[in-house]
Amino acid sequence: MTLDEIYKGVAACNKCDLYKTATRVVPGEGPENPTILFIGEAPGWHEDQQGRPFVGPAGQFLEQLLASVGLKRSQVYIANVVKHRPPGNRDPLPNEVKACRPWLDTQMELLRPKLVVTLGRHSLAAFFPRETISKARGVPREQGGVLYYPMYHPAAALHQGGLRKVIEQDMLKIPELLKRLESKSAQEASPKQLSLL
Ligand code: URA
């Protein structure tokens, strides 16, 4: 499957009822070979209107966070656990998360990001269902050859001002994680280079 096929597939998806109330599908966006994949929860009102992820107030904060580590949103891939907006921005239901999961899994297989940043508890739960966000946030962990880095959802800072600093500080650790990943892949590449000598 290609990214285009995913975009067409989610647009036609009726595996749960969310498509009935949503205005537009929000499949996700970004480069085809991103180093980082950010995964949020589900589209909100603004995203539902535009068909793009994180374009409302939480998205503005996410862009500020990205800028704080020298990244533009066009350099990272941004997706959500659920691709259609739950009515009234309610939490996605377990059956909706389950129905949408194959799209996220296929996206991850195609994108092959080095680092997956989960934003908020629903995104964390998609990969580490027994973890709580307050304990997991800010601590990178590897699973299946991918490095995961859980963070609070940017919208949490808009509702609970006290979390803003925590989110900002967690974001500032990302360059160090990327450096670690780079040196790891350099180490993995070096035996091959030696064998060419
Ligand atoms: N919140 C999310 O989790 N995702 C979006 O795309 C926007 C807001």
Side-chain angles (χ1 to χ4, degrees), residues 6-179:
I6 293 185
Y7 299 150
K8 287 195 185 112
V10 285
C13 187
N14 57 4
K15 294 267 187 310
C16 77
D17 284 342
L18 290 180
Y19 77 97
K20 292 181 182 168
T21 45
T23 313
R24 299 185 62 174
V25 72
V26 183
E29 67 182 22
E32 281 182 21
N33 283 308
T35 304
I36 317 179
L37 167 63
F38 285 84
I39 305 178
E41 174 182 327
W45 186 86
H46 296 273
E47 292 75 24
D48 179 68
Q49 293 292 308
Q50 295 187 38
R52 298 180 60 209
F54 282 96
V55 288
Q60 279 169 20
F61 184 39
L62 179 60
E63 285 185 30
Q64 282 173 30
L65 291 166
L66 288 170
S68 76
V69 292
L71 288 170
K72 294 197 196 83
R73 69 176 280 151
S74 59
Q75 292 176 290
V76 301
Y77 202 97
I78 306 177
N80 282 304
V81 171
V82 165
K83 315 297 191 202
H84 282 107
R85 179 188 183 223
N89 288 358
R90 65 157 168 73
D91 285 352
L93 301 173
N95 73 298
E96 293 160 353
V97 171
K98 196 169 164 212
C100 217
R101 184 58 188 254
W103 296 122
L104 183 60
D105 287 341
T106 312
Q107 273 176 318
M108 288 183 65
E109 278 162 30
L110 283 174
L111 298 168
R112 298 190 146 278
K114 298 263 185 313
L115 179 65
V116 172
V117 180
T118 60
L119 298 172
R121 63 193 171 90
H122 290 279
S123 181
L124 173 70
F127 302 97
F128 304 100
R130 280 179 290 276
E131 305 283 334
T132 56
I133 184 87
S134 56
K135 282 207 186 120
R137 58 133 279 270
V139 184
R141 61 187 67 210
E142 204 178 318
Q143 182 169 277
V146 178
L147 192 66
Y148 290 84
Y149 185 57
M151 286 180 58
Y152 280 120
H153 195 288
L158 306 177
H159 302 129
Q160 289 171 261
L163 290 182
R164 192 179 180 98
K165 270 254 129 50
V166 179
I167 299 178
E168 285 170 350
Q169 279 162 5
D170 284 349
M171 190 73 168
L172 291 176
K173 287 195 215 157
I174 286 185
E176 182 58 37
L177 294 178
L178 293 178
K179 253 194 236 155

